[in-house]
Amino acid sequence: MEKESRHTAVVTIRNLYKKFGDNAVLNGFDMDLYDGENLVIMGKSGSGKSVMIKCLIGLEEHDSGSIQVMGKDIDDLDADELDELRTEIGFLFQGSALYDSMSVRENLEFPLRRHTKKFGKITDAEPLVMEALQSVGLTKAIDLMPDELSGGMKRRIALARTLILKPKIILYDEPTTGLDPITSKEIVQLMQSVQEEYKTSSIIITHDVDCARAIANRMILLIDGKNYAEGSFETLQKSTDPKIQAFFK
Amino acid sequence: MGNRSLLLVGITGFIIGLVFTLQSRPTLQEFGAVSWMPSMVGISIIREIGPIITALICAGRIGSGIGAELGSMRVTEQIDAMDVSGTNPFKYLVVTRILATTLMIPILVVLGDGIALYGSFLVENIKGQVSFQLYFNEVFGSLEFGDIIPSTVKSFFFGFAIGLVGCFKGYTCGKGTEGVGRAANSAVVYTSMLLFILDFLAVLISDIFYEL
């Protein structure tokens, strides 16, 4: 019922299978991400969460199944079309993945230089860089190098680099992993404010129950490569199923 | 990458020039053929020693550097981040590096050759009072296009091989720090082997041209 009241699905995954050798990571995974929602996906390490979002953005090839992003089947796209679609999808990597040979400014300018189709030829990237840095509250870090930043700052700058392309969908791969509880809370608040400001739809891969509680509109529990349970945080938390309860202990 | 390798290539070339001349001198003296020293050193360094030694040094310095750099970019997901941002990491990271090594190694070879010959001249000058002009007149007088062109052409191939193997090993690096270490190490090992194979092929091909 909740699904029907929402807007259209911006991401639809059906029957997704992915194997690495004999290890079947995804076993018929299904998922819909609706416009404007925060979908949290929880699962044990190695349950295929990260592989799933990498398949979604074309970093990993899936064995079978279909992935539709904003109405486009990613299997039908050529390299240029996939690159164009990627400008609509932001990806926050677990380790931030900032280019360590570039300053914060250059890290943020880098995607802009490559996407003249979306933004036209940019002669002065400074306003866009400053806007993205303002969104994450780190304008002072503009000329620092990545190795001069703390873990939390790196995560914020990585989010700013994601936001600079003004994506419609953001994929967060364990956004609070490796951070202290206070910084984790700040990152979660930042994710909420980003959603309000940029009206994005998000898929958040996490183990962090506090993060899920704060941000999830809906959750999927991934066990053995498929959806084991789906619902709101409160519904799943109240479940008496021991496999579901294990995530909330 | 070229300017940072210049000191190492220069020092190595200089020492090789010195040692080569010091080692060869007594034997040539025995046969009364010391006057052949500049020609022998010139041909040996330009045709063989200069290109292969410079390439091996660069395989150790540049090849391992490329392997480690791209490997660490792979394990820290920087290459994936580039992909996601719509930049083709192959063009941006690999093509540029292979192009740089292909163009820089021949320049380093020429500089290394020059410095090695100067080292050789110093020994001849000290031991045999040979002047700079006489020494280099003898060196260049003995060289032909058939000596210079094959060594220059093979230097381009050496540069290409250093960039290609370094990039391949880094780009396809395994997971974790162990993977980065292995990528850097195997970049040097495989490049060194490939350099000797290329050198052998270059000698075979240039021999065919000589016979023609």
Side-chain angles (χ1 to χ4, degrees):
Chain A
M1 293 302 283
E2 195 186 12
K3 278 182 195 174
E4 285 166 14
S5 66
R6 287 187 189 281
H7 314 287
T8 46
V10 286
V11 176
T12 305
I13 296 178
R14 291 287 175 267
N15 247 345
L16 195 67
Y17 285 84
K18 175 72 186 171
K19 265 184 178 181
F20 290 103
D22 292 332
N23 181 23
V25 180
L26 294 171
N27 274 315
F29 178 75
D30 293 318
M31 188 200 85
D32 289 297
L33 173 70
Y34 296 98
D35 194 13
E37 83 166 336
N38 286 330
L39 172 64
V40 168
I41 298 178
M42 282 179 100
K44 288 194 288 185
S45 295
S47 61
K49 309 179 299 290
S50 298
V51 172
M52 186 275 292
I53 52 170
K54 284 185 177 174
C55 287
L56 169 54
I57 201 157
L59 284 175
E60 291 278 0
E61 276 186 30
H62 53 276
D63 299 333
S64 63
S66 74
I67 301 174
Q68 288 208 335
V69 181
M70 297 164 70
K72 291 173 184 164
D73 193 321
I74 65 158
D75 292 328
D76 297 338
L77 302 178
D78 62 27
D80 288 338
E81 287 168 336
L82 185 61
D83 279 349
E84 211 178 312
L85 181 66
R86 280 169 170 168
T87 62
E88 306 295 349
I89 309 171
F91 195 121
L92 186 73
F93 288 87
Q94 194 179 340
S96 304
L98 294 176
Y99 309 127
D100 49 20
S101 58
M102 299 181 194
S103 69
V104 168
R105 182 197 302 273
E106 289 163 338
N107 261 281
L108 268 71
E109 283 174 354
F110 189 83
L112 290 175
R113 281 187 288 170
R114 305 282 146 184
H115 290 293
T116 46
K117 255 190 195 172
K118 186 168 178 176
F119 295 97
K121 199 174 179 189
I122 296 166
T123 46
D124 183 17
E126 185 85 6
L128 287 168
V129 171
M130 288 309 287
E131 185 192 334
L133 286 175
Q134 253 159 16
S135 303
V136 300
L138 273 179
T139 46
K140 283 180 185 170
I142 190 162
D143 289 317
L144 296 180
M145 294 299 285
D147 61 4
E148 294 173 289
L149 305 171
S150 67
M153 286 165 87
K154 279 184 187 167
R155 219 57 68 90
R156 282 165 179 262
I157 298 297
L159 185 55
R161 187 178 63 184
T162 302
L163 293 174
I164 205 159
L165 289 176
K166 304 209 185 316
K168 294 191 173 76
I169 302 164
I170 303 183
L171 312 175
Y172 296 92
D173 189 5
E174 308 202 11
T176 57
T177 299
L179 301 176
D180 63 82
I182 296 167
T183 313
S184 294
K185 215 172 174 181
E186 285 172 5
I187 295 290
V188 172
Q189 284 167 355
L190 186 60
M191 287 158 66
Q192 287 168 323
S193 68
V194 160
Q195 201 220 0
E196 281 165 25
E197 191 182 338
Y198 290 83
K199 313 285 178 218
T200 53
S201 315
S202 311
I203 298 175
I204 302 119
I205 304 288
T206 187
H207 291 119
D208 184 346
V209 176
D210 293 329
C211 168
R213 182 187 290 118
I215 207 157
N217 298 127
R218 192 161 57 94
M219 286 179 69
I220 292 176
L221 299 186
L222 187 62
I223 298 177
D224 296 330
K226 44 185 160 181
N227 323 41
Y228 185 78
E230 192 173 333
S232 68
F233 182 88
E234 291 74 22
T235 315
L236 293 176
Q237 197 182 28
K238 282 175 196 159
S239 168
T240 52
D241 185 330
K243 279 189 175 175
I244 298 176
Q245 271 305 304
F247 286 99
F248 297 94
K249 278 177 184 165
Chain B
M1 60 180 67
N3 60 338
R4 288 183 195 161
S5 307
L6 186 57
L7 184 67
L8 190 61
V9 168
I11 291 170
T12 316
F14 185 70
I15 292 169
I16 282 174
L18 290 177
V19 171
F20 189 40
T21 312
L22 281 170
Q23 298 263 29
S24 317
R25 208 163 200 284
T27 315
L28 289 178
Q29 232 165 6
E30 217 171 287
F31 294 100
V34 185
S35 59
W36 287 5
M37 180 65 85
S39 326
M40 190 194 77
V41 171
I43 291 170
S44 312
I45 285 177
I46 302 285
R47 284 185 69 167
E48 191 53 47
I49 299 171
I52 195 73
I53 295 288
T54 306
L56 285 171
I57 291 166
C58 292
R61 200 188 178 285
I62 301 173
S64 65
I66 291 175
E69 189 184 8
L70 293 193
S72 66
M73 286 186 81
R74 170 63 74 197
V75 300
T76 56
E77 296 180 309
Q78 290 177 52
I79 293 180
D80 287 342
M82 227 169 245
D83 233 332
V84 166
S85 74
T87 304
N88 184 339
F90 184 80
K91 279 187 198 161
Y92 189 79
L93 298 171
V94 175
V95 175
T96 50
R97 278 165 175 75
I98 293 178
L99 203 61
T101 52
T102 308
L103 297 174
M104 281 315 299
I105 301 301
I107 295 171
L108 285 172
V109 167
V110 170
L111 292 167
D113 286 354
I115 294 168
L117 289 174
Y118 188 74
S120 169
F121 154 72
L122 282 185
V123 174
E124 280 300 285
N125 183 258
I126 293 163
K127 296 238 173 189
Q129 280 87 43
V130 178
S131 72
F132 183 86
Q133 196 180 359
L134 177 61
Y135 183 86
F136 280 94
N137 273 344
E138 285 291 311
V139 168
F140 291 114
S142 61
L143 288 173
E144 294 170 3
F145 279 117
D147 300 314
I148 297 166
I149 291 171
S151 74
T152 310
V153 172
K154 78 178 173 187
S155 302
F156 280 102
F157 282 99
F158 288 170
F160 181 77
I162 291 167
L164 184 73
V165 178
C167 287
F168 176 76
K169 288 290 170 187
Y171 206 78
T172 56
C173 165
K175 288 190 173 165
T177 46
E178 197 189 339
V180 178
R182 207 174 291 157
N185 184 278
S186 56
V188 178
V189 173
Y190 285 104
T191 308
S192 305
M193 279 187 346
L194 188 59
L195 289 174
F196 284 115
I197 294 168
L198 284 174
D199 195 33
F200 172 66
L201 290 174
V203 171
L204 274 183
I205 293 166
S206 54
D207 247 22
I208 293 169
F209 279 102
Y210 269 122
E211 281 170 17
L212 287 174

